Amino acid sequence: MTVLLATRVAHADAAAIAEAAGVLSIGGLVAFPTETVYGLGADATDGHAIARLYEAKGRPAFNPLIAHVPDLGAAQALARFDNAAARLAAAFWPGPLTLVLPRAAGCPVADLASAGLDTLAVRVPNHAVAHEILSAFGKPVVAPSANISGHVSPTTAGHVLADLGGRINLIVDSGATPVGLESTIVACLGEPLLLRPGGLPRAAIEHALRQKLANAPAQNESAPLAPGMLAAHYAPRTRLRLAAAGIEPGEALLAFGPAPAEGAGRAKAALNLSAHGDLIEAAANLFSHLRTLDAAGASAIAVMPVPGNGLGEAINDRLRRAAAGR
Ligand code: TXA
Ligand code: MG
């Protein structure tokens, strides 16, 4: 049974950071900003806190979580870094990159966090508020995106409150998250594998590794490599129609770039991911625009084509999942 909590929203000042560390230390749930999206944090060493986190999110318990730490030294206490992992951490941490690594001997993260796997996902976020909370708390924090399972990820404190109000203790608010897409996930368990495209473009990773990055083999329901990446993960309630050149009556429009969509004037609601065609701006707007258009009561959301280079790979991945997810 879900217990109803009074969820406090606190502006991210020194008092809120101390409060966040205090709530985490007694097994509570705190949503906080990272550079990618808002995360829902719990003490990674406390199995009961993690169980409450799964319940609050309505997340299937087989879905493993990312352990967040303030720096590389803290990550090395949790997991083993091979050469590729060390190179990627040096190049991109703090930043929107998650590494899936073998657990270190004596890793204090609760088994429930990695859902029984002998690997652990770790990340050092590049956000001052996240860094201060992690430093003040002094232990790893597991933090999935702070949305109800199956909803799009939250990029503002308001999104978090809409999904998780009454289910968590505290939301630390510091405005919209700058990147807007979840971290890129790379497994370093042998040949490096791209498990999830995200806020760090593939080309940057390939440049740092001086090699092409293999894609994870096609995921299936019974043995997913990154279980959150099942096709149906990101799903607004409204149907998405991808690669739309124009819009049909009753549809809302998610535009990209300066060229107007055919029939745009009759859209029930219209938003542009980036009128300049800037993929970084488009990534930052993606989840927030999907939420807004989902609330417009449209028959479908017509989505104009988005190029696949740079952050476009992750944007198109999330759009395909959102389209498949109903
Ligand atoms: O940007 C982000 O990564 C955000 C912020 C809050 O840090 N977090 C986030 O967490 O997106 P979540 O739980 O929504 O997505 C984590 C993904 C899931 O697809 C999960 O299955 C995968 O990471 N994952 C976690 N541990 C794993 C492991 N040991 N092996 C493979 N995949 C793993
Ligand atoms: Mg998520």
Side-chain angles (χ1 to χ4, degrees):
M1 199 190 75
T2 304
V3 182
L4 209 62
L5 301 171
T7 302
R8 237 173 72 68
V9 181
H11 172 70
D13 56 16
I17 282 154
E19 184 181 350
V23 170
L24 289 169
S25 70
I26 57 170
L29 303 178
V30 178
F32 63 94
T34 77
E35 80 279 34
T36 58
V37 300
Y38 275 75
L40 177 59
D43 179 350
T45 68
D46 179 347
H48 286 94
I50 296 169
R52 281 192 287 276
L53 187 155
Y54 281 128
E55 183 179 70
K57 267 190 71 91
R59 159 173 281 203
F62 53 72
N63 209 348
L65 303 171
I66 300 170
H68 294 65
V69 287
D71 52 48
L72 176 61
Q76 284 166 331
L78 307 182
R80 295 204 308 272
F81 288 68
D82 64 8
N83 286 338
R87 186 174 286 183
L88 293 177
F92 301 116
W93 279 356
L97 172 70
T98 294
L99 295 174
V100 171
L101 305 172
R103 274 177 176 257
C107 171
V109 173
D111 282 331
L112 183 58
S114 32
L117 302 171
D118 51 13
T119 58
L120 185 68
V122 285
R123 137 168 158 82
V124 178
N126 183 21
H127 192 290
V129 173
H131 188 265
E132 285 173 38
I133 291 172
L134 294 170
S135 302
F137 181 52
K139 288 196 270 182
V141 170
V142 283
S145 51
N147 52 278
I148 295 275
S149 197
H151 288 194
V152 296
S153 292
T155 57
T156 68
H159 297 160
V160 179
L161 189 64
D163 263 25
L164 297 175
R167 293 166 169 252
I168 66 177
N169 302 97
L170 177 65
I171 302 172
V172 179
D173 181 358
S174 89
T177 57
V179 175
L181 285 172
E182 303 89 341
S183 61
T184 301
I185 305 181
V186 175
C188 293
L189 306 164
E191 256 325 86
L193 276 182
L194 180 68
L195 298 188
R196 174 174 78 178
L200 181 67
R202 168 197 293 270
I205 296 168
E206 294 180 339
H207 182 77
L209 291 176
R210 294 187 213 104
Q211 71 176 74
K212 292 280 176 204
L213 199 53
N215 284 323
Q219 317 270 301
N220 66 65
E221 291 274 342
S222 55
L225 255 176
M229 295 314 290
L230 296 173
H233 191 58
Y234 296 90
R237 287 179 302 276
T238 313
R239 184 172 64 88
L240 256 62
R241 191 165 67 77
L242 299 184
I247 78 152
E248 308 293 332
E251 286 186 335
L253 171 66
L254 184 61
F256 176 84
E262 201 182 310
R266 59 172 183 247
K268 276 202 91 142
L271 289 171
N272 199 322
L273 289 170
S274 171
H276 303 99
D278 174 357
L279 289 166
I280 294 174
E281 183 184 13
N285 286 329
L286 177 66
F287 292 137
S288 157
H289 282 7
L290 281 175
R291 279 181 185 256
T292 305
L293 294 177
D294 195 20
S299 57
I301 300 170
V303 184
M304 288 173 72
V306 176
N309 59 301
L311 289 183
E313 181 178 8
I315 295 170
N316 279 297
D317 171 83
R318 302 304 186 274
L319 286 170
R320 277 193 300 275
R321 287 170 203 288
R326 294 178 64 257

